[in-house]
């Protein structure tokens, strides 16, 4: 997810987060395989080039802090918007972002490597590298051409979020004003089938309830929710996942990757964000209507209000509930770093702070073995299953 807002987030000092990470938590974070399935760096690199191989304090992901936090695999989010889909530029945008990730690796071959298969993880990690995998947020770049799935797979894309903020050719979105397909489109079912064939994980984050259920049913392998929290804690926020669909994802062997963004994990923040989305959509529709009527579009686009910081406990509560509903084998992390404009749990400022999460999990009684599953083991299991079932 990429949230562009004008407001500043009230936050706690960075030093506080580090003070809460115990030595035991740091050791486990560095010894475990940490896989974060959603970091929005690529679109940021297009807007403004940052050398993320060096310390980049204005961003939430860079190499020095990734190493500090124990991050091993960072899924770079290749995000395209509904507006880019409408304009026919999503395909170009996606390839340009992949180019940017490749350029980052080429600039720092001693610090980064591209990860295309979990089989290569141990080999590529040598020398302290952070491994960059690719996840495509929004299926818009494939247009209506199934062959584009193979093309993006060849470039390294290993999961695709079927839709984003609005309905598309593939699927209904959780946050559009009304359903278009009442789940997946007929083309969307073909997309899921082809993704299964290629070994691309099906990502159901951002999808409507019906679309999530249908994607799970249509897939022959486990699916993921790359960055989704639970609607149990945010009852009116459709973007989050219902208990029923958490169970459905788990029953198929999949995993729910819990994000750190306040809008996902805090009921007040989610309500504020939902109101902002409705107001922004109403503004967009009014602008379009004015233009269609030959009038000059007027008005000021709504801006996201300031959010108060959310505590780490909200992230832990979501993890606890997924475990309660589905079991320890079906939960992971998908932070949304660099995607929610700093609107994060107060103790989780950047990729340096996974040890803080580990400390919180330890305090709640999770064993080291279970924490290893949450940090990355569960996601690697699903990725491996998708790869093994592929028949390219």
């Amino acid at each position: 997810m990429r949230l562009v807002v004008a407001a500043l987030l009230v936050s706690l000092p960075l030093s506080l987060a580090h003070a809460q990470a115990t030595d035991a938590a740091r050791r486990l974070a560095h010894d475990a395989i940490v896989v974060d399935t959603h970091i929005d760096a690529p679109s940021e690199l297009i807007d403004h080039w940052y050398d993320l191989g060096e310390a980049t304090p204005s961003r939430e992901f860079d190499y020095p802090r990734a190493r500090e936090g124990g991050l091993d695999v960072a899924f770079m989010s290749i995000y395209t918007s509904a507006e880019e889909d409408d304009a026919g530029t999503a395909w170009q945008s996606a390839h340009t972002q992949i180019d940017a990730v490749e350029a980052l690796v080429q600039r720092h071959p001693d610090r980064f490597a591209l990860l295309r298969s979990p089989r290569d993880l141990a080999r590529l990690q040598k020398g302290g590298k952070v491994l960059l995998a690719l996840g495509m947020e929004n299926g818009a770049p494939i247009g209506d051409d199934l062959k584009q799935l193979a093309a993006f797979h060849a470039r390294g894309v290993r999961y695709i979020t079927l839709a984003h903020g609005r309905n598309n050719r593939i699927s209904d979105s959780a946050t559009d004003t009304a359903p278009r397909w009442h789940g997946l489109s007929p083309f969307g079912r073909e997309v899921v089938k082809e993704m299964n064939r290629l070994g691309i994980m099906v990502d159901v984050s951002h999808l409507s309830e019906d679309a999530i259920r249908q994607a799970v049913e249509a897939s022959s392998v486990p699916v993921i929710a790359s960055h989704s929290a639970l609607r149990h804690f945010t009852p009116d926020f459709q973007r989050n996942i219902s208990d029923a669909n958490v169970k459905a994802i788990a029953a198929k062997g999949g995993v729910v990757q819990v994000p750190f963004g306040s809008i996902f994990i805090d009921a007040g923040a989610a309500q504020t964000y939902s109101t902002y989305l409705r107001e922004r959509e109403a503004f967009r529709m009014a602008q379009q209507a004015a233009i269609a009527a030959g009038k000059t579009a007027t008005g000021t686009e709504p801006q996201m209000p300031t959010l108060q910081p959310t505590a780490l406990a909200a992230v832990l509560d979501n993890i606890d509930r997924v475990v309660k509903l589905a079991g320890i084998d079906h939960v992971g992390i998908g932070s949304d770093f660099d995607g929610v404009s700093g609107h994060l749990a107060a103790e989780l400022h950047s990729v340096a702070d996974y040890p803080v999460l580990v400390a919180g999990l330890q305090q709640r009684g999770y064993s080291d073995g279970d924490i290893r599953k949450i940090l990355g083991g569960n996601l690697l299991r699903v990725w491996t299953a998708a790869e093994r079932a592929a028949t390219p």
Side-chain angles (χ1 to χ4, degrees):
M1 178 179 186
R2 191 176 179 210
L3 171 62
V4 181
V5 298
L8 295 176
L9 176 68
V10 179
S11 61
L12 299 178
L14 182 61
S15 59
L16 180 59
H18 292 284
Q20 295 177 351
T22 64
D23 289 342
R26 291 191 183 92
R27 284 194 299 270
L28 182 53
H30 281 267
D31 188 60
I33 301 298
V34 179
V35 182
D36 190 326
T37 47
H38 204 84
I39 295 177
D40 271 292
S43 55
E44 295 289 328
L45 296 178
I46 300 305
D47 290 347
H48 177 91
W49 175 256
Y50 297 95
D51 186 354
L52 299 179
E54 306 293 344
T56 312
S58 65
R59 313 318 308 152
E60 291 157 5
F61 168 82
D62 61 33
Y63 177 82
R65 283 178 295 174
R67 294 307 304 147
E68 181 181 351
L71 178 61
D72 297 285
V73 180
F75 270 84
M76 298 284 99
S77 175
I78 308 302
Y79 163 74
T80 57
S81 67
E83 289 75 18
E84 288 173 306
D85 192 11
D86 291 342
T89 59
W91 180 90
Q92 179 66 38
S93 177
H95 279 290
T96 302
Q97 290 177 59
I98 296 171
D99 287 346
V101 175
E102 290 178 346
L104 185 63
V105 173
Q106 291 167 6
R107 188 177 183 86
H108 295 285
D110 58 330
R111 298 184 176 189
F112 296 116
L114 293 172
L115 181 65
R116 295 170 178 264
S117 168
R119 296 192 309 264
D120 299 329
L121 195 153
R123 174 177 61 83
L124 293 175
Q125 265 193 311
K126 292 178 180 178
K129 295 185 184 71
V130 173
L131 306 185
L132 307 182
L134 301 179
M136 182 183 288
E137 187 177 22
N138 195 354
I142 73 169
D144 55 8
D145 183 4
L146 283 177
K147 293 180 181 177
Q148 290 301 320
L149 290 169
F152 280 113
H153 180 268
R155 294 215 64 186
V157 171
R158 291 301 181 266
Y159 78 68
I160 296 177
T161 317
L162 300 184
H164 191 255
R166 298 212 302 269
N167 306 332
N168 62 13
R169 301 170 187 83
I170 300 169
S171 173
D172 285 341
S173 166
T175 50
D176 210 332
T177 53
R180 177 181 178 186
W181 307 107
H182 297 281
L184 298 183
S185 70
F187 176 65
R189 293 178 181 277
E190 292 301 311
V191 168
V192 170
K193 182 178 179 180
E194 180 67 358
M195 289 172 65
N196 289 167
R197 187 186 73 80
L198 292 166
I200 301 173
M201 289 180 285
V202 175
D203 177 21
V204 299
S205 287
H206 283 287
L207 304 193
S208 70
E209 280 291 291
D210 286 342
I212 292 173
R213 176 178 51 79
Q214 291 172 23
V216 172
E217 292 172 351
S219 179
S220 61
V221 295
V223 308
I224 69 169
S226 67
H227 59 307
S228 289
L230 303 190
R231 201 177 305 163
H232 173 83
F233 299 105
T234 58
D236 298 322
F237 189 39
Q238 297 301 305
R239 166 64 177 83
N240 277 344
I241 298 182
S242 69
D243 287 358
N245 271 337
V246 170
K247 293 177 180 178
I249 291 168
K252 198 63 172 277
V255 62
V256 176
Q257 302 285 104
V258 173
F260 304 162
S262 296
I263 61 171
F264 301 107
I265 59 176
D266 178 82
Q271 184 175 27
T272 297
Y273 182 60
S274 295
T275 300
Y276 160 70
L277 286 179
R278 288 193 296 270
E279 292 174 348
R280 190 180 68 176
E281 181 63 13
F283 172 82
R284 185 183 72 86
M285 297 298 291
Q287 295 288 96
Q288 288 185 346
I291 293 170
K295 299 178 181 179
T296 301
T298 59
T300 302
E301 183 172 359
Q303 300 295 319
M304 179 75 173
T306 300
L307 302 177
Q308 294 298 314
T310 304
L312 170 65
V315 177
L316 300 173
D317 288 345
N318 272 269
I319 292 173
D320 285 349
R321 186 160 183 84
V322 177
V323 173
K324 178 182 177 181
L325 292 169
I328 192 64
D329 295 323
H330 302 287
V331 65
I333 54 172
S335 64
D336 215 345
F337 282 135
D338 285 320
V340 287
S341 300
H343 293 75
L344 295 155
E347 300 92 339
L348 300 173
H349 295 265
S350 77
V351 291
D353 295 326
Y354 299 107
V356 180
L357 176 67
V358 172
L361 291 168
Q362 290 174 328
Q363 289 171 4
R364 292 208 173 183
Y366 286 92
S367 69
D368 285 1
D370 285 349
I371 292 172
R372 289 174 186 272
K373 290 182 177 183
I374 295 168
L375 292 179
N378 290 335
L379 187 282
L380 291 173
R381 171 184 54 79
V382 173
W383 187 2
T384 298
E387 185 178 86
R388 286 176 176 171
T391 57

